[in-house]
Amino acid sequence: MASNLWSEDQFSCSVCLELLKDPVTTSCGHSYCMGCIKNYWDQTDHTGVYSCPQCRETFTPRPDLRRNTMLAEVVEELKKTVLNPPPAQSYAGSGDVSCDFCTGRKFKAVKSCLTCLASYCETHVKPHYEGAAFKRHKLINAIGNLEQKLCAEHQKVLEVFCRTDQTCICLLCTQDEHKSHDTVSAKKERSGKQKQLGETQREIQQRIQERMKEVEEMKQAVKSLKRSAQREIKKTTKIFSDLSRSIEKIRTEVIELIGANEKAAVNQAEGRMKKLEQEIAELRRRNAALKQLSETEDDIHFLQNFQSLCAPPEAGDLPSVTVNTDISFGAVRKALSELKDHIEDFCKGELVKITTTVNEVAVYSLQAPEPRNRAEFLKYSCQLILDPNTVHRNLCLSEGNRKVTCRRETQRYPTHPERFESYPQVLCREGLSGTRCYWEIEWSGRGAVIGVTYKGIRRKGGDRSCILGFKDKSWSLECSDSSYSAWHNNNHTAITAPCSPRIGVYLDFNAGMLSFYDVSDTMTLLHRFQTTFTEPLYPGFWLRYYDSSVTICQLN
């Protein structure tokens, strides 16, 4: 069976991690799905240099790949002989309990025997139902780690609870080091603790109700605040509109005043000019008569008209008018300029008062300072659960959907629109927004990518925009056994720091801050993203290598 598993691994595409589809082989000897390698090379089409995703050997120009017919036939035969188990039973996958009596590839166990301390598939459990020797054996639904049900010292079943040491023991322990201790049957102790558990559940449910009530009250307060703010905006707009109208009225009156003064001065000047023009006309008439008289040859006519024509002109009785050619009204302009400065100074002073008043009625006080040590970070811890609807088929969930492991075997998850199809990724169920959150991750294997994303991240196709950190909708930290890299919008930042198997993630949504920490005795900042978040963020993970795993730590 080991050879079958080896063959299955050899016939998997290193890009999509599934069995080869339309296999093609590069000149360096590595095989890929035709669609996967084309999509991979399309991403670097503008460079003119193409490389193998596994060994990084480069090719110029782009290789002309053809379907490997022989390899395709081998893959099809592998599907028929290895990957299609009998319909009655299914093979044990990652996270399943396997049958202890199957040889070769093991079937999934359906029952565990607490007497035999073994697990059985549907075929191998039959003797426990049919044989008289097994009638007293206790069967339960299949569970793993049966060795943990044995006493490490006596190799007997743990069925007694020592209240003195608060630990499970076997019957021989009650006669040995626990002889004088307060001991009861595990079933009886479970009964008592079950009641305690129920009380704790009731307290938690009561706390949930209280918090839900607080949330509802806060929602109502926010609605009331919005209504009040809208009312004040309308009133403020009306006040400024009235003020604008008042200023406009003053502007109109000043303009009319200037116009009236202009009209009066013009009318007075025009009256004076009319009289002057009349006087000029009369003087011109007398001048013409005098010229005619001076040229006459009739002495009698000259003497008879001389007296009347040579009388001196009458003195003008018109008032003296001086027209000011400077129509800029300098005094008026100076007065208006002083009014403008006075209003601006007044508005600046009043704006300071208004700002102070608005801030005094703010709903929220200043935020608490950023946490400085792990104890302060833990105040913002949140519970996260992986979403089975998003998990890629090469990822296996376990430990109550808090752990994910990358496997060679394809898991039989149902089709779902939110499932990642090309890259082995998974998201959490919880969308985080409007608050501070903190969680810790333990990773193992060759590496893992830890990040957050908006819900709209692509799930289908081989485009790298599906990957955490490769689009403007997601941010991530790539961890390996030798280095770290921070990714966002397909840009990465190399981080020099010792490798840590435990990473802390701190999100301050309102402040637009996402930070990754090395969790140890002290919190060491690895990288911080500073931005503006516009949608709820979903924590997620990308496992690039088989047998790598990520576990969401329980912090409470």
Side-chain angles (χ1 to χ4, degrees):
M1 201 66 194
S3 62
N4 287 336
L5 289 176
W6 176 85
S7 298
E8 183 182 339
D9 182 23
Q10 290 297 313
F11 297 128
S12 294
C13 173
S14 63
V15 176
C16 67
L17 306 181
E18 297 182 352
L19 281 178
L20 294 166
K21 301 172 186 176
D22 291 331
V24 294
T25 304
T26 60
S27 59
C28 60
H30 294 110
S31 300
Y32 304 94
C33 300
M34 182 178 292
C36 291
I37 191 63
K38 283 185 175 181
N39 287 338
Y40 181 82
W41 282 346
D42 285 344
Q43 302 300 317
T44 56
D45 198 18
H46 62 282
T47 64
V49 179
Y50 306 89
S51 63
C52 172
Q54 293 191 62
C55 67
R56 302 299 178 185
E57 181 176 336
T58 58
F59 314 105
T60 305
R62 178 168 174 163
D64 183 15
L65 298 176
R66 296 184 180 180
R67 187 171 185 266
N68 189 327
T69 306
M70 180 179 295
L71 185 58
E73 293 176 354
V74 173
V75 171
E76 289 302 318
E77 186 64 25
L78 181 68
K79 290 180 180 178
K80 295 177 183 178
T81 59
V82 178
L83 299 181
N84 292 326
Q89 297 190 86
S90 59
Y91 289 120
S94 177
D96 294 330
V97 178
S98 58
C99 176
D100 292 322
F101 283 79
C102 286
T103 57
R105 189 172 184 182
K106 295 180 178 293
F107 285 113
K108 179 180 178 180
V110 295
K111 294 291 181 180
S112 295
C113 177
L114 295 182
T115 306
C116 302
L117 289 178
S119 298
Y120 305 92
C121 64
E122 291 181 353
T123 299
H124 291 113
V125 78
K126 289 180 179 179
H128 274 73
Y129 294 127
E130 300 169 356
F134 300 103
K135 291 296 184 181
R136 294 184 180 181
H137 288 204
K138 186 175 181 180
L139 291 177
I140 60 173
N141 290 332
I143 59 174
N145 301 322
L146 283 172
E147 63 276 4
Q148 295 182 1
K149 308 297 185 296
L150 287 178
C151 173
E153 182 175 353
H154 303 105
Q155 298 300 305
K156 297 294 182 181
V157 178
L158 299 174
E159 50 187 329
V160 178
F161 185 79
C162 176
R163 290 176 172 172
T164 304
D165 294 335
Q166 290 293 299
T167 186
C168 295
I169 60 176
C170 68
L171 286 174
L172 291 179
C173 290
T174 62
Q175 303 172 11
D176 197 353
E177 64 268 25
H178 297 270
K179 184 175 182 179
S180 60
H181 292 183
D182 181 10
T183 58
V184 294
S185 68
K187 185 175 182 179
K188 183 177 180 180
E189 183 66 16
R190 161 73 185 271
S191 177
K193 291 191 179 298
Q194 189 75 32
K195 295 179 181 179
Q196 182 180 347
L197 185 145
E199 293 175 358
T200 303
Q201 282 183 306
R202 284 190 292 273
E203 291 178 2
I204 291 176
Q205 290 170 356
Q206 181 179 353
R207 182 72 62 84
I208 291 173
Q209 294 298 322
E210 292 173 353
R211 294 296 179 263
M212 289 177 64
K213 182 179 179 181
E214 291 180 9
V215 170
E216 187 60 32
E217 291 175 351
M218 188 61 69
K219 286 182 179 179
Q220 295 302 321
V222 169
K223 289 181 180 179
S224 177
L225 169 66
K226 289 182 178 180
R227 288 193 296 267
S228 299
Q230 290 302 317
R231 285 196 300 268
E232 291 305 315
I233 289 173
K234 289 181 179 179
K235 292 179 180 179
T236 301
T237 302
K238 184 178 183 303
I239 290 172
F240 277 98
S241 297
D242 293 342
L243 180 60
S244 297
R245 282 193 293 271
S246 298
I247 294 175
E248 180 63 24
K249 182 179 179 181
I250 295 173
R251 185 187 73 87
T252 302
E253 291 177 352
V254 172
I255 290 175
E256 290 176 351
L257 178 62
I258 294 172
N261 280 271
E262 174 197 11
K263 185 176 181 181
V266 169
N267 288 339
Q268 186 179 8
E270 287 178 346
R272 170 68 174 172
M273 286 189 295
K274 185 176 182 180
K275 291 181 180 181
L276 290 173
E277 288 172 353
Q278 290 173 351
E279 184 179 346
I280 291 170
E282 178 62 25
L283 291 172
R284 284 177 175 172
R285 184 188 64 76
R286 287 186 66 187
N287 186 54
L290 289 172
K291 179 180 180 183
Q292 186 179 5
L293 182 64
S294 68
E295 293 176 352
T296 185
E297 296 179 356
D298 187 346
D299 296 335
I300 299 301
H301 176 74
F302 180 86
L303 293 173
Q304 287 176 340
N305 291 281
F306 174 80
Q307 188 68 33
S308 60
L309 291 176
C310 287
E314 297 179 1
D317 56 354
L318 295 176
S320 177
V321 176
T322 302
V323 179
N324 184 7
T325 59
D326 181 11
I327 60 172
S328 60
F329 292 88
V332 176
R333 185 168 62 249
K334 180 180 179 183
L336 289 176
S337 179
E338 291 175 352
L339 175 62
K340 169 180 168 292
D341 293 340
H342 176 71
I343 291 176
E344 288 181 348
D345 292 341
F346 176 79
C347 289
K348 289 178 181 178
E350 292 302 310
L351 180 60
V352 172
K353 295 179 183 178
I354 293 171
T355 303
T356 303
T357 302
V358 171
N359 290 338
E360 286 176 352
V361 297
V363 177
Y364 297 108
S365 60
L366 293 174
Q367 287 195 345
E370 184 178 352
R372 293 164 297 179
N373 52 56
R374 188 165 181 264
E376 293 182 359
F377 278 104
L378 290 176
K379 294 178 182 178
Y380 302 101
S381 62
C382 60
Q383 297 294 331
L384 300 177
I385 298 295
L386 298 171
D387 186 354
N389 292 333
T390 67
V391 64
H392 185 273
R393 288 187 170 88
N394 279 98
L395 299 181
C396 181
L397 301 182
S398 59
E399 296 185 13
N401 290 349
R402 289 189 303 102
K403 181 177 181 179
V404 58
T405 306
C406 186
R407 297 298 190 193
R408 292 181 175 85
E409 301 85 3
T410 301
Q411 308 301 309
R412 295 185 176 182
Y413 298 130
T415 301
H416 196 280
E418 295 185 0
R419 189 173 310 286
F420 287 100
E421 290 189 350
S422 299
Y423 297 93
Q425 298 183 123
V426 61
L427 300 183
C428 292
R429 289 178 176 174
E430 296 77 14
L432 308 176
S433 64
T435 184
R436 294 180 170 191
C437 300
Y438 177 74
W439 61 98
E440 292 181 357
I441 303 300
E442 285 189 348
W443 65 275
S444 63
R446 294 174 58 190
V449 174
I450 302 166
V452 297
T453 179
Y454 294 154
K455 195 168 187 178
I457 188 173
R458 290 186 59 186
R459 317 297 174 97
K460 319 297 181 185
D463 194 316
R464 290 168 70 86
S465 63
C466 301
I467 302 175
L468 290 170
F470 278 70
K471 201 68 175 171
D472 60 352
K473 297 180 181 293
S474 60
W475 299 257
S476 67
L477 179 74
E478 181 179 4
C479 309
S480 71
D481 53 5
S482 60
S483 65
Y484 297 102
S485 293
W487 288 84
H488 173 61
N489 203 18
N490 203 20
N491 295 318
H492 80 283
T493 303
I495 302 168
T496 303
C499 177
S500 171
R502 195 176 184 100
I503 301 296
V505 187
Y506 173 67
L507 169 66
D508 189 337
F509 188 93
N510 293 330
M513 183 189 302
L514 176 68
S515 305
F516 295 90
Y517 289 86
D518 173 357
V519 179
S520 57
D521 295 336
T522 58
M523 301 290 289
T524 303
L525 178 64
L526 297 175
H527 189 77
R528 172 174 293 153
F529 293 102
Q530 188 68 57
T531 183
T532 299
F533 299 120
T534 58
E535 301 176 28
L537 294 168
Y538 291 80
F541 311 98
W542 176 29
L543 300 180
R544 302 179 59 184
Y545 307 102
Y546 290 131
D547 297 326
S548 293
S549 68
V550 164
T551 303
I552 302 172
C553 304
Q554 287 186 319
L555 301 179
N556 294 332

